[in-house]
Amino acid sequence: MAETGEEVSAEEVSAEASGFSDLSDSEFLEYLDLEDTQESSASLSKPGPSSELPGKDDKLISLPKWKRRLDVSSPMERFHLKYLYVTDLSTQDWCEQQMVYGKELPGFLAPEKAAVLDTGASIHLARELEVHDLVTIPITTKEDAWAVKFLNILSMIPILQSQGHIREFPVFGEVEGVLLVGVIDELRYTAKGELELAELKTRRRPMLPLEAQKKKDRFQVSLYKYIFDAMVQGKVTSASLIHHTKICPDKPLGPSVLRQARQGGFSVKSLGDLMELVFLSLTLSDLPLIDILKIEYIHQETTTVLGTEIVDFEEQEVKSKVQHYMAYWMGHREPQGIDVEEAWKCRTCSYADICEWRKGGGMPSSILEPQAKKVK
């Protein structure tokens, strides 16, 4: 396996690399601000001109179809996924069909959207660097990658309890039979001693998003709370994590990871040693449940705060949505697009021209499903 590097520091190990990072920028779905889009200005029933999309170097990405009845695998199996990101589910909340196309067309992203994401990521990194410095350590196995995440958690918990403020906290937990992972932007204690989760969302233009975007963002932070609370309550187990990720707890850690662990004061040899420390630390450190959910919207160019929103956590609503979205991933139903009333979302969707849901006037094709294949 090729050696890769992860950014780490004595205080925190970055959660960005090795498949554990979680997209958190609000511009991921709509790099063109939807304030310029009228909600009734697009029609779901209008077919696109082509079933192909331009890929890199102007090569076309075609979407041959096959009958769903011949495909008995679930999306988790078809996409070879061991776990999902929180942002997978929040993207489903925006448009499930768009999320599916994103999985079927890996690597396809319009240059404008990529630039917006890069800017958002830079702002997140700048805020992270306000708290700690980053260095890079090499890793060679998935066990090393997870060990880095565990070192993150072990180092950040005492910092949160003593200094009252941390950023980029990894979370993970089994939800409806699927492992869900993510990274919380910021955790901090208020003057009243309440634990607050703060999520940063950057905007391309100096305007707050539409209600549909805010709804997606509220669901995202609610999922973070749902998973974090389960972690500190001891509801997340090492057995579940091993089952889903197929990691080997007895595998010795690489020398660079071991050296980082020693610098942090942890005497461990294997991933299993770290896992035991993490779960003990989560449950025995007097970490409270998250009390406040806050979303902060800022302008990318000026970093001016555009507004903040306090989110009410509705546990039953979150559970209901999760059950509905997981039903797709487990293969119990076909993907669904947006309702006709939300056809305006198609205006900024990269997949509008090949969208089967849109071509069908808002009705799914019962026997056909697109699958991505890049034409070489």
Side-chain angles (χ1 to χ4, degrees), residues 222-234:
S222 294
L223 280 175
Y224 286 146
K225 171 179 166 57
Y226 189 80
I227 301 172
F228 177 89
D229 288 357
M231 291 172 68
V232 301
Q233 289 175 317

Side-chain angles (χ1 to χ4, degrees), residues 163-309:
Q163 301 179 19
H165 181 206
I166 56 174
R167 288 195 170 115
E168 305 298 321
F169 187 85
V171 292
F172 53 88
E174 183 177 305
V175 181
E176 296 296 320
V178 177
L179 183 66
L180 200 59
V181 303
V183 180
I184 294 175
D185 271 357
E186 189 172 355
L187 287 171
R188 60 197 178 205
Y189 284 106
T190 67
K192 295 181 179 180
E194 298 171 305
L195 184 57
E196 178 181 275
L197 181 155
E199 176 74 11
L200 173 67
K201 298 295 185 185
T202 65
R203 301 288 297 164
R204 179 173 175 265
R205 294 185 180 180
M207 305 174 73
L208 288 171
L210 293 178
E211 179 61 24
Q213 175 68 54
K214 290 182 178 180
K215 175 173 167 284
K216 181 189 76 73
D217 296 340
R218 294 184 197 117
F219 181 52
Q220 180 179 343
V221 297
S222 294
L223 280 175
Y224 286 146
K225 171 179 166 57
Y226 189 80
I227 301 172
F228 177 89
D229 288 357
M231 291 172 68
V232 301
Q233 289 175 317
K235 296 179 180 179
V236 180
T237 67
S238 58
S240 173
L241 189 62
I242 293 169
H243 168 73
H244 287 288
T245 62
K246 311 303 179 186
I247 51 180
C248 179
D250 298 325
K251 189 169 186 176
L253 297 173
S256 298
V257 177
L258 286 173
R259 183 165 53 252
Q260 183 66 30
R262 287 195 298 269
Q263 290 177 1
F266 306 114
S267 179
V268 295
K269 294 182 179 179
S270 67
L271 181 65
D273 296 337
L274 270 179
M275 291 176 68
E276 183 177 356
L277 288 176
V278 165
F279 287 108
L280 284 173
S281 182
L282 284 168
T283 55
L284 299 179
S285 298
D286 294 324
L287 285 171
L289 306 184
I290 293 174
D291 298 299
I292 303 171
L293 298 174
K294 179 183 290 185
I295 303 173
E296 181 181 40
Y297 295 97
I298 71 170
H299 182 214
Q300 281 194 349
E301 183 177 352
T302 64
T303 68
T304 301
V305 176
L306 304 175
T308 60
E309 180 172 349

Side-chain angles (χ1 to χ4, degrees), residues 121-134:
S122 298
I123 294 174
H124 278 82
L125 178 60
R127 287 204 170 190
E128 189 178 356
L129 290 174
E130 293 174 357
V131 179
H132 53 74
D133 295 325
L134 295 177

